[in-house]
Amino acid sequence: MQRITLLCVGKLKEKFYADAASEYTKRLSRYCKLEIIELPEERLPENPSPPQINSALLKEAEAIRRKLPPSSRVVALCVEGRLYSSEELARSIAAWAAGAVAGLEKHLVFLIGGSFGLHESIKAEAWAKLSMSPMTFPHHLARVMLLEQIYRACQINAGTRYHK
C-alpha cells in the first residue's frame, strides 16, 4: 500500500477545514497509508520585514527536514510549481507506486508551507514542485484541495466514476 505524507506548516484551526480534511483522510484510507504531520509556524511580528520572513522560513525548512521520512520523494507546493491536471497527478502517483513495488521509492511527501510559503532551499531540494493554481489560496484550504486531488488521483487510477 502506498505511503503518502502531508507535511504541513501550521495547524488547521477552523472546524470546516478540519472536517473536510478528516473526510478525505477517511476516504483515502482505502488506497494509501496517509500521515499528516503538522509543524508549528514560526511567530512573526505584525508587519515582518523580508529578512524576518526569510529567517522564519529557514527555521521552518529545518523543522521540515527533521521530519522527512528516509527515502522520500518530496513534492513542494508552491506558486512557481508546475500545474498538473488531475489525470497527470494520477499518472505521477501511479508511477511512484510502481517504483515503490520495485523497491526504488518508499515514501511520497507533499510539503505545504505556512502563510509565507516555503523557504527557497527546501523548494530547491524537492523532487518536484506542484502549483494548485496561479491564484493564491489560504494554506489551510490548499491542504484540503491537495487531499481531494490525491483522492481523485486514487479514484482515477482505480478506474472509478468519481472523476468525471
Side-chain angles (χ1 to χ4, degrees):
M1 185 173 271
Q2 294 177 267
R3 291 178 53 199
I4 298 175
T5 296
L6 268 62
L7 223 164
C8 310
V9 176
K11 294 184 181 263
L12 291 182
K13 295 173 187 154
E14 294 87 353
K15 184 178 181 332
F16 57 92
Y17 287 136
D19 289 347
S22 179
E23 176 62 27
Y24 285 111
T25 299
K26 182 178 81 176
R27 291 181 186 192
L28 280 163
S29 67
R30 290 177 281 179
Y31 299 99
C32 64
K33 293 181 97 173
L34 177 71
E35 180 181 20
I36 298 175
I37 299 172
E38 293 180 331
L39 299 172
E41 195 166 2
E42 287 293 315
R43 293 190 184 271
L44 285 165
E46 182 77 24
N47 293 308
S49 67
Q52 288 172 316
I53 293 169
N54 189 61
S55 176
L57 291 177
L58 184 58
K59 288 177 185 173
E60 291 170 0
E62 291 165 359
I64 288 168
R65 285 185 192 95
R66 287 191 295 272
K67 291 292 185 178
L68 286 175
S71 302
S72 56
R73 181 169 271 189
V74 177
V75 178
L77 270 70
C78 52
V79 70
E80 67 273 19
R82 180 175 168 231
L83 293 168
Y84 284 77
S85 68
S86 296
E87 294 87 351
E88 288 171 325
L89 182 62
R91 284 192 296 273
S92 294
I93 289 174
W96 168 80
V101 171
L104 301 174
E105 297 294 334
K106 296 181 181 171
H107 211 116
L108 184 60
V109 178
F110 290 91
L111 301 180
I112 301 175
S115 55
F116 287 99
L118 294 165
H119 192 266
E120 291 301 321
S121 66
I122 201 81
K123 290 189 280 188
E125 295 167 17
W127 166 71
K129 295 179 194 132
L130 170 66
S131 175
M132 300 298 285
S133 166
M135 293 185 275
T136 302
F137 297 103
H139 60 282
H140 301 314
L141 180 57
R143 185 187 311 191
V144 174
M145 291 168 58
L146 178 61
L147 285 167
E148 192 282 335
Q149 284 300 299
I150 294 170
Y151 177 69
R152 184 175 296 272
C154 291
Q155 293 291 303
I156 290 168
N157 291 337
T160 69
R161 297 191 58 184
Y162 179 80
H163 179 69
K164 298 175 189 145

